[in-house]
Amino acid sequence: ISVEMQRSMLSKNVKKSMEFIVKNKLQKDKLEKNKVEFEITPENLKNVQKQNTKHIPEFNITGHFDSGVCNIEQPFTGNICVEKSDQEIKSIELQFVRVETCIYADTEIREATEVQNIQLADGNICQKFDIPIYMIFPRLFTCITTVSKAFKVEFEVNVVVLFKDSHMLTENFPIKLVRVPTKNNF
């Protein structure tokens, strides 16, 4: 909110801006946890041209997210495990992305913005070792997933694996954010 109080010609106007967050307790649905299991291998990668498959390192990365429908007030959790990799992995990161879509007539304009990036592992990662995922949703850049006729605000989580030879792979997982009242709210 921005307010400007106009004063006489000899005095300066007074301006004040304040930012605030509005919470709503309307949603009373219970959150259904649906565990999201994943396995990333060279065979199930999308957007890879056939001639480039011989340059991709051999690997198998598994894991899970505790839920694909998340309470915005609770952390996003799960784990990831490098089962095998014939090349050294430089880092594993978790990207949190907001996807805004405006719909006009038959045209959809889609814009994805990285909200947060968390490095889960750095350096030569031990194989067959569960790496925990724990991400708190940033309050100023997130809201519940909203879908209407004119626009959408949706969210995605990307698992980004960077190999020592600079190969990078990104696996995308859409998630839904909801607000479920907990005992700690308000």
Side-chain angles (χ1 to χ4, degrees), residues 55-57 86-90 162-168:
H55 301 294
I56 297 174
D86 67 354
Q87 276 206 19
E88 190 176 323
I89 294 176
K90 195 173 180 180
L162 184 62
F163 291 93
K164 200 73 168 180
D165 68 351
S166 298
H167 274 96
M168 182 174 79

Side-chain angles (χ1 to χ4, degrees), residues 8-179:
S8 66
M9 289 172 61
L10 299 175
S11 300
K12 276 182 132 181
N13 291 349
V14 178
K15 295 178 185 179
K16 180 71 176 173
S17 293
M18 181 186 290
E19 200 172 289
F20 64 94
I21 299 170
V22 177
K23 287 187 176 182
N24 188 348
K25 285 173 80 172
L26 294 178
Q27 188 173 357
K28 302 221 188 254
D29 303 336
K30 290 214 174 189
L31 184 65
E32 287 185 31
K33 295 247 179 189
N34 60 331
K35 197 173 190 179
V36 178
E37 304 263 351
F38 61 88
E39 181 176 22
I40 308 170
T41 61
E43 292 79 36
N44 65 13
L45 290 178
K46 299 172 191 132
N47 300 325
V48 177
Q49 297 172 344
K50 297 253 185 204
Q51 68 261 22
N52 292 337
T53 55
K54 60 185 173 220
H55 301 294
I56 297 174
E58 192 62 36
F59 62 89
N60 184 10
I61 300 170
T62 61
H64 76 272
F65 303 128
D66 291 335
S67 184
V69 179
C70 307
N71 184 356
I72 199 168
E73 301 289 332
Q74 300 295 317
F76 181 76
T77 57
N79 73 34
I80 190 166
C81 179
V82 178
E83 299 293 336
K84 71 172 186 171
S85 176
D86 67 354
Q87 276 206 19
E88 190 176 323
I89 294 176
K90 195 173 180 180
S91 72
I92 299 177
E93 299 174 357
L94 187 74
Q95 281 182 340
F96 179 56
V97 178
R98 180 180 60 240
V99 181
E100 300 165 347
T101 308
C102 289
I103 303 162
Y104 180 73
D106 291 337
T107 307
E108 268 193 16
I109 300 168
R110 185 176 191 266
E111 185 173 325
T113 307
E114 181 181 316
V115 174
Q116 183 167 274
N117 191 358
I118 297 175
Q119 189 172 37
L120 300 175
D122 183 32
N124 193 10
I125 294 147
C126 295
Q127 295 184 14
K128 299 188 179 184
F129 178 76
D130 281 344
I131 301 167
I133 296 171
Y134 189 90
M135 177 181 71
I136 295 173
F137 296 110
R139 295 180 75 178
L140 295 178
F141 301 102
T142 56
C143 63
I144 61 171
T145 300
T146 305
V147 178
S148 72
K149 289 181 181 178
F151 71 94
K152 295 187 242 180
V153 179
E154 299 169 302
F155 295 91
E156 298 174 349
V157 171
N158 295 332
V159 175
V160 180
V161 179
L162 184 62
F163 291 93
K164 200 73 168 180
D165 68 351
S166 298
H167 274 96
M168 182 174 79
L169 70 95
T170 303
E171 192 71 18
N172 180 279
F173 302 93
I175 62 171
K176 182 178 180 182
L177 296 183
V178 296
R179 188 177 310 276

